[in-house]
Amino acid sequence: MAERDFVLSTETTCDMPMSYYAQQGVNLLGLTFTIDGVNYNSVDSPMTSAQFYAKVRGGALPKTAQVSVAQASASFERLVEEGKDILHLAFSSGLSGTCQACALAAREVMERHPGSRIVVVDSLAASMGQGLMLHYLVTLKQEGKTLDQCRQLVEENRLRFCHNFTVDDLFHLHRGGRVSKMSAVLGTALGIKPALHVDDEGHLINVAKVRGRRQSLDWLVDRMAEHRDASSSLPVFISHGDCLEDAQYVAGLVTKRFGITDISIGDIGPVIGSHSGPGTVALFFLGDSRHL
């Protein structure tokens, strides 16, 4: 029996440009963010990243909500009724209940539509790290890989998608429970910039303390030097929370140190940015592992 066509699906937590999803035919689910008492779906929010970060810098305290089972079910059902199978790349289960909701929705839809296939893969990734994994899947699909082959390859390699980032303001990490209030106060006074990564369970982990903004940006590239896979043909992705010049500085270091020019820089959207805050810079690449 011939393979049914399948659609790649994911969430806005990939922080990829909206044009990318449209051009690559990727189905998109949006997490919700709330700011100044107004709820927005991140798929079609009229608020730009710059407007969002301006509100946060002005004191607004945004909140986010995961994709619901009903929301995922409706999206999956529409595709199944078009005769498509689905490979959904979900936001890290270590950071959100979205993956679990999508898995539940997939089971419900397959029960209603015998013969359909919906495969949900836990990316254990976030922001443009999840975006880079999506890009990997897009490339595999373009090469003619089947749904099962794509699933196998992404699951075999997902812990090689390295996430390293630094934040400029400890307050937002304190709000998210990543650092204590005392650490936030003392770190801010001393100019300490935390360096973090996403571990093998998809959790945000504070791995170093670096004094000074420029040194924290240099740390990102030092980590890449330790772990990058020099044979990889995948691009390098950099995302930022309304601090483009800092992202460009990191991109310049990557080019200077490794000769890499295939680099994409993008905004950290409101969903991830609600927790990381303005001034975040993240560097994503394919490496040997995420281990320290």
Side-chain angles (χ1 to χ4, degrees):
M1 189 171 67
E3 285 275 344
R4 281 163 49 110
D5 190 18
F6 71 97
V7 174
L8 294 175
S9 178
T10 193
E11 301 109 15
T12 49
T13 46
C14 285
D15 284 340
M16 298 291 279
M18 287 297 169
S19 59
Y20 180 88
Y21 306 113
Q23 290 166 2
Q24 304 301 337
V26 175
N27 183 58
L28 192 61
L29 300 177
L31 281 75
T32 301
F33 68 96
T34 302
I35 191 165
D36 290 339
V38 181
N39 296 326
Y40 299 91
N41 185 302
S42 52
V43 168
D44 55 12
S45 166
M47 186 179 298
T48 66
S49 291
Q51 290 169 336
F52 169 79
Y53 286 112
K55 286 179 176 289
V56 173
R57 286 192 173 101
L61 299 176
K63 298 179 181 179
T64 61
Q66 68 182 54
V67 169
S68 69
V69 174
Q71 179 186 354
S73 181
S75 182
F76 293 162
E77 191 144 41
R78 174 181 56 81
L79 294 171
V80 165
E81 288 175 347
E82 294 174 359
K84 308 289 188 181
D85 288 336
I86 303 166
L87 176 56
H88 183 82
L89 184 69
F91 184 33
S92 173
S93 62
L95 297 171
S96 170
T98 291
C99 182
Q100 182 181 17
C102 289
L104 288 171
R107 286 199 291 271
E108 289 182 0
V109 172
M110 286 189 288
E111 286 174 1
R112 291 196 294 270
H113 297 270
S116 64
R117 289 194 68 205
I118 306 172
V119 174
V120 176
V121 173
D122 185 352
S123 70
L124 300 172
S127 191
M128 289 182 78
Q130 184 182 353
L132 185 57
M133 204 175 295
L134 173 67
H135 184 69
Y136 175 58
L137 283 171
V138 166
T139 302
L140 292 174
K141 189 172 187 291
Q142 289 173 345
E143 292 173 351
K145 297 290 192 296
T146 66
L147 187 156
D148 286 322
Q149 289 171 328
C150 286
R151 175 188 191 175
Q152 179 181 352
L153 286 166
V154 76
E155 288 183 340
E156 286 177 352
N157 290 287
R158 62 185 162 187
L159 297 183
R160 297 176 59 213
F161 286 81
C162 299
H163 302 50
N164 296 300
F165 67 102
T166 185
V167 301
D168 197 37
D169 187 343
L170 288 160
F171 169 74
H172 297 281
L173 288 182
H174 167 59
R175 280 186 62 221
R178 302 297 170 187
V179 299
S180 68
K181 184 175 182 179
M182 182 62 72
S183 294
V185 171
L186 289 177
T188 299
L190 295 172
I192 299 297
K193 306 300 179 183
L196 306 97
H197 83 145
V198 174
D199 69 7
D200 286 357
E201 286 73 48
H203 298 118
L204 248 60
I205 303 295
N206 194 346
V207 294
K209 296 178 181 178
V210 184
R211 176 168 283 185
R213 177 65 165 177
R214 185 56 57 90
Q215 288 85 348
S216 70
L217 300 176
D218 292 344
W219 176 89
L220 296 174
V221 185
D222 290 341
R223 283 274 294 164
M224 183 174 174
E226 295 171 7
H227 288 283
R228 79 184 185 100
D229 178 356
S231 67
S232 172
S233 60
L234 286 176
V236 169
F237 283 0
I238 300 170
S239 61
H240 68 94
D242 199 34
C243 51
L244 178 59
E245 288 186 3
D246 288 340
Q248 291 171 333
Y249 170 78
V250 172
L253 281 183
V254 170
T255 298
K256 182 178 180 180
R257 291 185 63 173
F258 312 122
I260 297 171
T261 56
D262 190 1
I263 302 172
S264 293
I265 297 175
D267 294 328
I268 296 174
V271 172
I272 302 294
S274 293
H275 303 280
S276 58
T280 300
V281 179
L283 177 60
F284 309 99
F285 58 92
L286 190 70
D288 53 5
S289 72
R290 297 181 181 181
H291 297 160
L292 299 177

